[in-house]
Amino acid sequence: SSRKKMKEINFSFGDFTITTDKNKLDLDAIHDFLSKKSGWSDGIPFETMKTSIENSLNFGLFCKNTQIGFARVISDFATIGYLGDIYVLEEYRGKGLSKALMEQVMNHSNLQGLRRWILLTSTAEWLYEKYNFTKLPNPEFYMELYNPEVYKSN
């Protein structure tokens, strides 16, 4: 098998730490934000969120031992990566933490050399543009199957 070992990161700066250690993630805190405050996954069931984390490369952002931010990447680690569920709690915004989180995501050794990154966002375009994300040059090529009611029916 050509499967590469996943490199774990634990990056600390001041009172803050970014880690990819799944065991350190506060699933209740992540679920609270995603299900009630995100605007993109309102009502997501806890088990659905937990499964998504189990099958992703996750980046937890902590202030001391409190989870204050998160990002996850869905990838084959060879050709494509999808960046999703990225947030920093409102009271911690404006301190450069989203930039620090993005730096760790974009520089992760297992995510180098990907042909394509995908991101869906209605906020913080200014942040992602710093990492060379652009609007779709050919939106007519893009297709999706989208069910915004999926969490309501479960």
Side-chain angles (χ1 to χ4, degrees):
S1 162
S2 63
R3 194 161 180 169
K4 287 190 279 187
K5 182 163 173 36
M6 194 58 54
K7 184 174 187 316
E8 190 172 290
I9 62 159
N10 286 292
F11 174 73
S12 293
F13 51 108
D15 286 339
F16 302 101
T17 303
I18 297 171
T19 182
T20 55
D21 183 347
K22 280 184 192 171
N23 298 317
K24 292 184 179 164
L25 296 176
D26 181 342
L27 298 182
D28 291 326
I30 296 168
H31 184 254
D32 182 66
F33 184 88
L34 292 179
S35 67
K36 297 176 189 158
K37 302 170 189 149
S38 70
W40 64 81
S41 59
D42 294 347
I44 188 171
F46 184 87
E47 286 302 316
T48 301
M49 178 216 62
K50 187 173 178 232
T51 300
S52 75
I53 287 172
E54 287 168 0
N55 293 294
S56 301
L57 173 58
N58 307 279
F59 296 78
L61 171 63
F62 295 83
C63 178
K64 298 181 178 157
N65 292 318
T66 302
Q67 182 140 13
I68 61 162
F70 179 71
R72 72 185 184 95
V73 176
I74 305 162
S75 183
D76 61 7
F77 304 106
T79 65
I80 193 165
Y82 173 87
L83 176 61
D85 292 338
I86 185 164
Y87 73 86
V88 173
L89 293 180
E90 199 167 342
E91 57 267 35
Y92 292 93
R93 294 177 189 165
K95 302 176 190 302
L97 297 172
S98 61
K99 187 172 183 286
L101 191 53
M102 281 297 294
E103 292 285 333
Q104 293 303 309
V105 170
M106 299 308 293
N107 291 316
H108 192 283
S109 62
N110 292 86
L111 298 172
Q112 300 311 298
L114 301 182
R115 181 169 167 248
R116 176 162 301 175
W117 279 87
I118 300 167
L119 162 70
L120 299 173
T121 186
S122 60
T123 60
E125 288 177 16
W126 56 269
L127 172 65
Y128 306 115
E129 286 169 352
K130 291 178 183 177
Y131 299 92
N132 298 317
F133 281 86
T134 60
K135 298 261 189 219
L136 291 175
N138 300 296
E140 66 277 11
F141 295 171
Y142 178 86
M143 294 176 66
E144 70 176 2
L145 175 59
Y146 175 55
N147 180 359
E149 304 299 314
V150 70
Y151 303 142
K152 293 179 182 141
S153 61
N154 289 340

